Amino acid sequence: MKKPDVPQNEPVRLATLRSLNILDTPAEERFDRLTRMARRVFSVPIALVTLVDEKRQWFKSRAGISLSESPRETSFCGHAILGNDIFVIPDATRDERFADNPLVVGEPQIRFYAGCPLRSLDGHNLGTLCIIDRQARTLGADDLEALRDLAAIVEQELVGLLLATVDELTNLSNRRGFMLLAQYSLRLCLRQGIPMSLVFMDLDKFKQINDNFGHAEGDCALTVFADHLKRLCRDSDVIARLGGDEFVLLLPNATGVLAEQIIHRITQAIEKYNREATRGYRISFSAGIVEFDPGKHKTIGDLLAAGDLRMYAIKNAK
């Protein structure tokens, strides 16, 4: 049996999953309706909406099986989330990765498996919509497309949960989303003894852009800045728009020196954009960098307050 690999973006993937506050919640008809539909459409005995956390695959919805979860190391869905398209096993007994898997040699005696990854707004695979049969089989092109369509509906239901934590304009985390993700990252860094830095950022002269060019152009400046942050930061970094023209980066496994290097890279990219764009104004920003100190910062709120003070000191000095 081959255990599933761990995705490279695992810390942020798990943080995004936890930000939904969906794990271990009761069954909901909006998800159960879709697993019942999947059983009928594909004539399979089992259909599941699974979410994969550190150690398990947990079933938000299950049709045809009594289990509520199973270990991640024996899961098929743990393999499915490693890719971006449907993961199909026509006959598990003939696949060396699964032939001796407990879910194959024992209950529920999986032979056929097809799982479509469920992606979050920021592109992380949180789990799958999967169908399972106790007989070997294959899926045709129309079947594959139908499974993708059903998975897209599941994703929309998950998006509804996530939108409460996402800034609609930039698709970054909002303040609530940031606090949820940041608390998880803080615990992870404390547990593993790795450094962490926070960068509090504010766009310079943003009000002048709105006043002189209009709010639509102000929104454009915000989205341009957000896109640069998403492009230049690492997968493990937590990026958020706190509100207005305030942004924050939480950088796990980053000293203050590394944070300065990241900000320098962002500054250079923004300056390049300013030289090439013809919008009549320049985008610039001030940034306050704070390295996490367990002796000074007990909470994410402490880090935010320290970064805010440092950023405004730099802005006022300008």
Side-chain angles (χ1 to χ4, degrees), residues 35 40 43 79 97 135 142 150 183 198 250 255 293 309:
T35 50
R40 290 196 300 269
S43 298
H79 293 269
R97 295 169 294 179
Q135 298 179 354
D142 290 343
L150 281 176
Q183 291 292 350
L198 179 140
L250 189 69
T255 62
D293 182 348
L309 284 174

Side-chain angles (χ1 to χ4, degrees), residues 135-148:
Q135 298 179 354
R137 59 182 291 181
T138 59
L139 291 181
D142 290 343
D143 291 328
L144 293 172
E145 193 61 32
L147 185 57
R148 291 189 191 97

Side-chain angles (χ1 to χ4, degrees), residues 86-89 112-116 128-132 139 144 147:
I86 298 174
F87 181 72
V88 180
I89 303 298
F112 166 82
Y113 170 93
C116 187
T128 72
L129 171 65
C130 67
I131 53 175
I132 293 169
L139 291 181
L144 293 172
L147 185 57

Side-chain angles (χ1 to χ4, degrees), residues 237-258:
D237 298 335
V238 180
I239 314 168
R241 180 190 176 200
L242 297 182
D245 58 350
E246 292 181 339
F247 294 80
V248 65
L249 304 178
L250 189 69
L251 311 174
N253 200 21
T255 62
V257 173
L258 179 56

Side-chain angles (χ1 to χ4, degrees), residues 37-88:
M37 186 182 301
R39 286 182 72 189
R40 290 196 300 269
V41 169
F42 300 103
S43 298
V44 294
I46 299 170
L48 305 166
V49 171
T50 72
L51 298 169
V52 181
D53 69 9
E54 295 98 326
K55 296 182 179 180
R56 60 176 177 159
Q57 56 171 358
W58 176 76
F59 308 141
K60 176 58 182 173
S61 177
R62 59 188 188 273
I65 193 171
S66 60
L67 290 174
S68 61
E69 61 182 62
S70 65
R72 179 173 176 174
E73 64 181 14
T74 61
S75 72
F76 284 61
C77 296
H79 293 269
I81 65 170
L82 299 174
N84 292 318
D85 202 358
I86 298 174
F87 181 72
V88 180

Side-chain angles (χ1 to χ4, degrees), residues 84-257:
N84 292 318
D85 202 358
I86 298 174
F87 181 72
V88 180
I89 303 298
D91 186 349
T93 63
R94 296 178 177 274
D95 192 308
E96 62 181 12
R97 295 169 294 179
F98 302 103
D100 59 347
N101 187 296
L103 300 175
V104 176
V105 298
E107 289 296 328
Q109 297 185 336
I110 296 174
R111 295 297 177 267
F112 166 82
Y113 170 93
C116 187
L118 302 173
R119 295 171 66 83
S120 65
L121 282 175
D122 52 3
H124 301 303
N125 291 339
L126 305 181
T128 72
L129 171 65
C130 67
I131 53 175
I132 293 169
D133 204 337
R134 296 186 177 94
Q135 298 179 354
R137 59 182 291 181
T138 59
L139 291 181
D142 290 343
D143 291 328
L144 293 172
E145 193 61 32
L147 185 57
R148 291 189 191 97
D149 290 343
L150 281 176
I153 300 173
V154 178
E155 288 179 342
Q156 288 302 310
E157 296 293 348
L158 294 174
V159 164
L161 298 171
L162 189 61
L163 284 177
T165 63
V166 172
D167 175 61
E168 186 175 356
L169 176 66
T170 63
N171 283 330
L172 297 178
S173 293
N174 60 19
R175 181 179 288 272
R176 179 175 182 271
F178 172 77
M179 296 303 290
L180 289 168
L181 296 171
Q183 291 292 350
Y184 174 79
S185 294
L186 177 61
R187 289 195 298 270
L188 181 67
C189 290
L190 283 171
R191 186 166 61 247
Q192 297 185 356
I194 59 178
M196 181 173 67
S197 295
L198 179 140
V199 184
F200 198 108
M201 295 175 287
D202 189 270
L203 295 188
D204 297 330
K205 301 180 179 178
F206 179 69
K207 185 176 184 300
Q208 294 181 16
I209 297 176
N210 276 331
D211 291 346
N212 297 333
F213 297 91
H215 288 280
E217 199 63 37
D219 286 349
C220 177
L222 292 170
T223 55
V224 165
F225 187 67
D227 289 344
H228 277 77
L229 297 182
K230 286 184 281 189
R231 181 168 59 85
L232 296 169
C233 290
R234 305 165 301 173
D235 285 344
S236 59
D237 298 335
V238 180
I239 314 168
R241 180 190 176 200
L242 297 182
D245 58 350
E246 292 181 339
F247 294 80
V248 65
L249 304 178
L250 189 69
L251 311 174
N253 200 21
T255 62
V257 173

